[in-house]
Amino acid sequence: MPKFYARRRLSILGALTALIASVAVLNGPTASAALPTPVSAATARTYLASLTVATENRTGYDRDLFPTWITISGTCNTREYILKRDGTNVVTNSACTATSGSWYSPYDGATWTAASDLDIDHLVPLAEAWDSGASAWTTAQRQGFANDVTRPQLIAVTDNVNQSKSDQDPAEWMPSVTSYRCTYVRAWVQVKYYYDLSVDSAEKSALTSYLANC
């Protein structure tokens, strides 16, 4: 059973910070700051030290066990909500489909003007979550994880970059834009901590190394 419900009391300040960051982004001029601001490097190091180190187990994984793209607001589902949040000058129709706009992908530094060129990345992949504890969750809890717009877990990025990342952790894959890596690992650790997910030894070693340079 995940401990993230109990942890919410301990994470109120972080959640409020993320919410404020999200609101600021919706009103801001740039798309590159759209991801809710992760915890500081110092906090991430503290969080990482507390995470359980365990061997991952993918037995029984099926992506359908994580219902995605639920309705978030009005007619907007999760994908549409993130596209609107992460883009600049995004125009949507009555179904909340983005018809125009501009999106900057911080993983690879590319800018796109067609929503079809963007995927919504689960920063901590669904399969990775399953491997590190989500297999014990209820479907409702997995749905909450897959559609979490409050923590730094969902971000619009270049579609083939997201597909290249697949379900790899930071020991196996990192954004090619090196200046974004600190943000990425801080977000990764924050999400894993909030959802009480474990890390494997190679993953922890990589995170420790990247955070030391933040």
Side-chain angles (χ1 to χ4, degrees):
M1 178 67 66
K3 299 176 182 176
F4 53 84
Y5 290 114
R7 271 202 178 137
R8 283 179 179 162
R9 290 185 178 179
L10 300 176
S11 304
I12 290 174
L13 181 58
L16 287 175
T17 300
L19 180 59
I20 290 168
S22 297
V23 171
V25 164
L26 288 170
N27 295 315
T30 63
S32 59
L35 187 76
T37 304
V39 295
S40 69
T43 298
R45 286 190 285 268
T46 299
Y47 284 0
L48 179 59
S50 75
L51 295 182
T52 299
V53 178
T55 302
E56 295 180 350
N57 184 351
R58 192 158 299 186
T59 302
Y61 171 71
D62 186 325
R63 186 181 175 89
D64 291 342
L65 294 170
F66 292 79
T68 53
W69 307 168
I70 62 173
T71 300
I72 297 295
S73 176
T75 60
C76 302
N77 67 21
T78 313
R79 172 181 166 81
E80 294 160 345
Y81 177 91
I82 297 298
L83 284 172
K84 189 173 181 180
R85 184 199 72 183
D86 288 8
T88 300
N89 299 322
V90 177
V91 176
T92 59
N93 61 22
S94 59
C96 202
T97 301
T99 57
S100 64
S102 176
W103 291 267
Y104 172 79
S105 170
Y107 288 1
D108 59 330
T111 297
W112 304 96
T113 56
S116 59
D117 288 321
L118 284 300
D119 277 356
I120 307 305
D121 181 42
H122 290 92
L123 196 136
V124 175
L126 304 182
E128 169 70 23
W130 177 273
D131 297 351
S132 50
S135 59
W137 298 354
T138 64
T139 299
Q141 288 165 340
R142 288 191 287 267
Q143 176 176 289
F145 177 84
N147 298 276
D148 188 348
V149 299
T150 301
R151 275 146 291 279
Q153 164 65 352
L154 294 171
I155 185 170
V157 297
T158 303
D159 53 5
N160 61 0
V161 171
N162 180 52
Q163 291 151 25
S164 176
K165 172 189 170 180
S166 187
D167 56 12
Q168 298 177 92
D169 69 29
E172 304 159 319
W173 185 94
M174 286 292 285
S176 61
V177 176
T178 56
S179 61
Y180 196 72
R181 291 178 176 178
C182 183
T183 299
Y184 186 82
V185 295
R186 285 158 47 213
W188 182 284
V189 171
Q190 180 179 345
V191 170
K192 282 231 161 173
Y193 178 84
Y194 180 81
Y195 285 97
D196 198 28
L197 296 170
S198 64
V199 290
D200 63 39
S201 57
E203 176 188 356
K204 182 171 183 178
S205 178
L207 290 167
T208 299
S209 178
Y210 285 115
L211 284 172
N213 295 316
C214 287

